[in-house]
Amino acid sequence: MMTKTRSLMLASAVLAMLAACSAPEPASPAAQAEAEAVDATSSTVRVRGTVQSVSDGSMTVQTYDGRTVAVPIAAATRFVWVVSSSLSTLKDGDFVGTATTGPKTALRALELVIFPESMRGTGEGHYPWDVPGVVASRGGGAVESSAMTNGTVESRSAPTAGTAPAQSAMTNGTVAGRDASTGGLVLNIAYEGGTADVAIPEGTPIVRFEPTERSSLAAGQKVYAVIPQGTTSAGFLAMGKDGVTPPM
């Protein structure tokens, strides 16, 4: 009887050990996280962060505020590289975009994008904006009175003394003139329906867009994606080249 009891106890122990070995390991936090679906029904959606994975029809992005977002990609999605540049490459007549801080009468650039000729006119105008990538990537939150202005640079002048309030805007346009000074540069940017003077302080991130293909997209890249209102996939996707963070 003792031998039978011992055999049963041994068999139970073996079964328990086998069950423990075959039990599935708990999923990692990354595996447990479910990507949020993008909903651009009521407004344009802008996604900024690092690509986690890429599939045939979408990419998963870890945003700068810690969310995981699924961004659909379509055949019509336009892809561009974001490459480092400088004010020394800026020419009169260039079409530019700049996210800014301050009131319309005293705009101060947070970043400057120089568009290729093939993208002239993209987003031209002055309209509300959200947190630029240069701020979001450093952990910054919402910026008061954020806006975007796209247009053409008409003239350049030296900046005046003083600082602007913490308000954000974007100005895109064509460079018509520029004027360097020890305090940076001021661009007068014209767009359909108005103009804006934008001070470009020294140290402002300056980048260029270079058209590329979908095959350039890969995990680990810093990206900026735009899903236009009423659409179901990204219309525009900018990828930082060589580690560049899209600052817009």
Side-chain angles (χ1 to χ4, degrees):
M1 187 68 178
M2 290 291 290
T3 301
K4 185 176 181 181
T5 300
R6 286 177 183 167
S7 297
L8 289 173
M9 291 176 63
L10 180 60
S12 297
V14 170
L15 288 173
M17 198 160 67
L18 288 173
C21 292
S22 61
E25 298 218 358
S28 66
Q32 291 174 340
E34 291 187 7
E36 298 177 22
V38 174
D39 182 5
T41 302
S42 59
S43 63
T44 294
V45 176
R46 303 182 186 100
V47 178
R48 302 169 175 88
T50 304
V51 177
Q52 300 298 298
S53 63
V54 179
S55 65
D56 288 341
S58 69
M59 67 175 178
T60 301
V61 178
Q62 184 77 39
T63 64
Y64 295 130
D65 60 1
R67 297 179 299 128
T68 301
V69 178
V71 180
I73 298 170
T77 301
R78 174 182 284 189
F79 295 86
V80 299
W81 282 123
V82 180
V83 299
S84 293
S85 190
S86 67
L87 285 176
S88 64
T89 70
L90 188 65
K91 306 185 304 298
D92 289 357
D94 278 347
F95 189 82
V96 299
T98 177
T100 60
T101 182
K104 183 74 183 301
T105 55
L107 298 174
R108 189 176 180 85
L110 296 172
E111 55 86 34
L112 178 72
V113 178
I114 305 170
F115 287 85
E117 188 59 31
S118 62
M119 294 181 68
R120 177 177 293 277
T122 299
E124 184 168 358
H126 184 81
Y127 40 86
W129 199 243
D130 53 4
V131 183
V134 66
V135 175
S137 63
R138 297 171 182 171
V143 183
E144 184 183 355
S145 301
S146 181
M148 167 71 79
T149 308
N150 292 15
T152 303
V153 177
E154 296 289 344
S155 64
R156 299 156 290 176
S157 61
T160 57
T163 58
Q167 299 174 322
S168 178
M170 172 65 77
T171 304
N172 287 23
T174 305
V175 176
R178 52 183 178 162
D179 185 9
S181 75
T182 56
L185 189 73
V186 171
L187 303 180
N188 176 252
I189 301 176
Y191 54 90
E192 187 174 356
T195 63
D197 289 329
V198 180
I200 316 294
E202 292 182 356
T204 300
I206 312 294
V207 298
R208 284 183 177 271
F209 283 162
E210 293 182 355
T212 187
E213 303 296 329
R214 186 195 184 288
S215 57
S216 300
L217 180 63
Q221 291 172 339
K222 300 291 178 61
V223 295
Y224 164 72
V226 179
I227 301 89
Q229 180 179 352
T231 64
T232 57
S233 61
F236 177 77
L237 206 165
M239 306 167 291
K241 194 170 188 179
D242 300 326
V244 170
T245 297
M248 69 290 306

